[in-house]
Amino acid sequence: MADVEKRLSYIPSAATLGDAHDHESDDLKKPLDSEFVDSKYEEDSWFAWLVVLAGCIQAMITLGASRSHGVYQEYYVINEFSNSSTASISWIGSVQNTMLNLCGVFVGILSQIYDARIMCAIGSLCMGLSFILASFSTQIWQLVLTQGMLYGSAASFPYILGVTVPLQWIRKRRGLALAVVYMGSGVGGMWISILTRACIDSLGRAWSNRIIGCIMIVMGVGLSPLIISRRPARRPSKIMDFSVVREWRFLFIAAASFFAMGPNTIPYILMPTYVADVLKESGKLGSSIVTIINVSGIFGRFIAGMLSDRFGPINMLILWTLLAAFSQLGIWLPFASVPATIASAALFGVTGASIVGMILNALSHQYGVGRITYISGMVYMVYSLSSLGVVQTTSMMLDTVGHGTDYT
């Protein structure tokens, strides 16, 4: 016990953490947060990377499913609700993505009180049931409630816990660990978009929802026991602590999240519809665009994680955001062609898909990992509001100014 207390005496507070990249070598020599329990498994051990793998799979079935929503969006616009406006149909995907991130702050609060494994299992069960309920929905407002609001709220638990809890176990290669976790969303977006298109074509949209929902339940609940928090669950002195909001570091990262992640959802949702409406290509090519984004994102997240460990997450966040913007403004919109759309999707997948992971990496380096779930939840809440506004504004402009086909 005395040895443990001696080790804990060297622990810095969040307020004393300076720039992560400049002081990273000193930070690596210190133990994690003082609130962490002494586990039989050490940080950076083989078990730690097993937790990272579990987080990767949770990201695969939560964020991956959200990133493949463009396949459903295309089907709703072209087939099931062809007489409805794009803006009204876009509420399904925008509400889904908003709730997925908006509920992050509440997940952060509850994670301080309750066992992360139980929260993850309950969330996985509910998100699978939401997709099954969506299979019985025949109107847009019903899908907004089931596939949008209910799914996003439930998936927020395994998603937020799956990407933040592994950070408590990794210190030396945190950027790489985050890359592995978020690579799951690329892998998930790839095979879920392919499976969704195959199920819709052969079995119909309803059975596609049911099959995906059952997969979510089996994989999410099955891997929840590995989402082990090293921070003991106990009620904090302050349930809602907004002191971090007054720090310039947090405001800078939150602002970057607001402006960078808002437009980040557009290619996932509207590119498949663009392929069908503007380029007059088949629905299979539209779903392939989503696959290209997600496959490129697998490599992009790995590259971003390695470079973030070398050059710092803030520096890479700025560069990747600029390249993601260029992929849309410099390649996609100016050239209405299949090759340009594919090139834009590939570049966006490498850069834009990695931004959310680099934001989380920057937060972990600035504030440590003791309260990363709560702090990242506040940033994701800012991002979710931006995403909702951008997606709906873009869809309304597409319907009114663009007359449904002019995306510029």
Side-chain angles (χ1 to χ4, degrees):
M1 180 63 70
D3 182 62
V4 172
E5 292 176 352
K6 182 179 179 180
R7 290 176 64 237
L8 298 181
S9 66
Y10 291 96
I11 295 164
S13 64
T16 62
L17 291 175
D19 180 82
H21 184 56
D22 293 338
H23 302 288
E24 184 177 359
S25 59
D26 293 335
D27 182 58
L28 293 178
K29 299 175 183 178
K30 302 170 184 177
L32 286 175
D33 197 285
S34 60
E35 297 177 339
F36 289 145
V37 296
D38 190 32
S39 173
K40 66 177 181 179
Y41 297 111
E42 297 293 333
E43 54 186 342
D44 298 312
S45 64
W46 66 269
F47 186 82
W49 286 99
L50 188 61
V51 176
V52 171
L53 179 60
C56 171
I57 298 178
Q58 294 292 357
M60 180 176 68
I61 61 174
T62 54
L63 195 58
S66 179
R67 292 294 184 257
S68 62
H69 179 76
V71 179
Y72 284 110
Q73 172 83 5
E74 177 202 359
Y75 179 81
Y76 294 147
V77 171
I78 305 299
N79 297 284
E80 192 165 347
F81 304 111
S82 57
N83 295 324
S84 301
S85 66
T86 303
S88 61
I89 296 173
S90 294
W91 277 108
I92 303 171
S94 57
V95 168
Q96 178 189 105
N97 188 69
T98 298
M99 297 306 295
L100 183 65
N101 294 279
L102 182 63
C103 293
V105 65
F106 303 106
V107 175
I109 293 172
L110 294 175
S111 68
Q112 301 177 79
I113 305 173
Y114 301 106
D115 192 321
R117 293 167 293 185
I118 297 176
M119 293 172 56
C120 191
I122 294 175
S124 299
L125 176 62
C126 291
M127 75 174 181
L129 291 176
S130 70
F131 254 61
I132 295 175
L133 289 175
S135 69
F136 299 100
S137 302
T138 57
Q139 299 182 44
I140 294 177
W141 69 267
Q142 295 173 339
L143 288 167
V144 170
L145 291 178
T146 55
Q147 194 173 358
M149 184 174 294
L150 180 56
Y151 169 79
S153 303
S156 182
F157 285 81
Y159 165 51
I160 298 297
L161 293 171
V163 300
T164 57
V165 168
L167 294 179
Q168 300 176 5
W169 291 87
I170 303 297
R171 170 170 294 272
K172 295 180 181 179
R173 305 293 292 175
R174 191 173 296 165
L176 178 60
L178 266 175
V180 172
V181 169
Y182 274 102
M183 279 169 60
S185 66
V187 174
M190 176 183 65
W191 68 262
I192 291 176
S193 61
I194 295 174
L195 178 62
T196 299
R197 169 55 60 187
C199 289
I200 289 177
D201 291 342
S202 59
L203 301 174
R205 196 266 301 175
W207 274 105
S208 173
N209 285 134
R210 292 165 192 157
I211 292 172
I212 299 297
C214 290
I215 292 174
M216 289 176 177
I217 293 175
V218 172
M219 297 184 69
V221 175
L223 287 168
S224 294
L226 285 174
I227 306 300
I228 304 172
S229 176
R230 298 186 70 222
R231 184 180 187 275
R234 61 170 178 266
R235 185 176 296 274
S237 57
K238 290 183 179 180
I239 298 296
M240 299 287 288
D241 184 5
F242 294 105
S243 60
V244 68
V245 177
R246 296 191 294 268
E247 298 184 21
W248 70 267
R249 296 177 298 170
F250 176 85
L251 295 175
F252 176 82
I253 297 176
S257 175
F258 183 88
F259 291 108
M261 292 302 296
N264 205 321
T265 314
I266 297 297
Y268 291 103
I269 295 180
L270 296 183
M271 259 194 178
T273 308
Y274 171 86
V275 170
D277 286 346
V278 179
L279 303 182
K280 305 301 181 182
E281 298 291 339
S282 66
K284 290 184 178 180
L285 179 59
S287 60
S288 297
I289 291 295
V290 178
T291 303
I292 290 172
I293 295 176
N294 287 295
V295 171
S296 301
I298 297 173
F299 299 100
R301 290 177 177 93
F302 179 78
I303 295 171
M306 298 292 289
L307 293 180
S308 294
D309 285 337
R310 175 66 178 85
F311 299 105
I314 297 293
N315 297 327
M316 293 308 304
L317 176 60
I318 295 173
L319 177 60
W320 250 230
T321 300
L322 293 175
L323 291 175
F326 175 76
S327 71
Q328 299 181 50
L329 301 178
I331 302 178
W332 177 23
L333 298 180
F335 306 102
S337 66
V338 173
T341 304
I342 293 175
S344 173
L347 179 57
F348 175 80
V350 171
T351 56
S354 308
I355 292 176
V356 63
M358 285 189 285
I359 290 175
L360 183 58
N361 192 11
L363 287 171
S364 70
H365 280 72
Q366 292 294 326
Y367 293 98
V369 295
R371 299 172 62 235
I372 188 62
T373 305
Y374 174 71
I375 295 176
S376 63
M378 296 179 66
V379 172
Y380 286 172
M381 180 176 63
V382 173
Y383 148 51
S384 67
L385 299 176
S386 171
S387 177
L388 177 63
V390 169
V391 171
Q392 289 308 120
T393 302
T394 302
S395 299
M396 291 177 63
M397 292 175 63
L398 179 61
D399 286 332
T400 56
V401 181
H403 305 291
T405 56
D406 188 357
Y407 282 66
T408 58

